[in-house]
Amino acid sequence: MDRRNRVEWVVLFVSCLAVAAVLGLLLYEGLTDTGRPPAPVVKLEPDKAYLTSTGWVLPAIAHNDGDRSAQEVTLLATATVNGNEEEAAVSIAYLPAGTDVELAFGFSGEPDGEVTVRVTGFLP
């Protein structure tokens, strides 16, 4: 006769809960996925900006609001520095759905005013 001790029963119970949780999560994602295309958005973090020996670094966070991943995302930031307009480009190789990627834009000096960022392209 096969008798299990308490530890075996606890391990079996926890394993069953883990499998049920994974199946539940997969089912939930499958039912709520509306198939929205990639939607990269960028949030600048000017409070975390800093000066280096080569220029001004402006951290940012890129987020994909879509339900599908994006590849080769190209972002272009524009700012006025010392009266001249400057552009800084950043590329992200892979941006999965619902994820964040930390990045930074570089300028020759601290921008005089607002910095704008736009997505110039990506592969869905």
Side-chain angles (χ1 to χ4, degrees), residues 3-110:
R3 301 191 83 193
R4 298 177 196 251
N5 64 30
R6 284 187 185 161
V7 174
E8 291 176 319
W9 282 109
V10 169
V11 169
L12 176 65
F13 179 73
V14 170
S15 298
C16 288
L17 278 179
V19 169
V22 168
L23 289 176
L25 179 63
L26 290 173
L27 182 63
Y28 171 77
E29 286 187 5
L31 293 175
T32 59
D33 179 4
T34 58
R36 294 177 300 158
V41 293
V42 178
K43 179 185 174 204
L44 297 173
E45 297 185 316
D47 296 343
K48 296 180 180 178
Y50 56 94
L51 184 62
T52 68
S53 61
T54 58
W56 189 257
V57 177
L58 177 59
I61 295 178
H63 180 78
N64 185 352
D65 282 341
D67 291 329
R68 307 218 185 276
S69 64
Q71 298 177 26
E72 299 181 30
V73 180
T74 305
L75 307 169
L76 184 67
T78 306
T80 302
V81 178
N82 297 323
N84 298 315
E85 187 173 288
E86 291 186 12
E87 294 181 338
V90 172
S91 295
I92 302 170
Y94 184 67
L95 186 60
T99 60
D100 292 335
V101 172
E102 294 181 9
L103 54 102
F105 296 99
F107 297 99
S108 64
E110 183 175 357

Side-chain angles (χ1 to χ4, degrees), residues 103-124:
L103 54 102
F105 296 99
F107 297 99
S108 64
E110 183 175 357
D112 299 334
E114 182 180 350
V115 177
T116 59
V117 179
R118 66 185 179 98
V119 177
T120 58
F122 61 87
L123 296 174

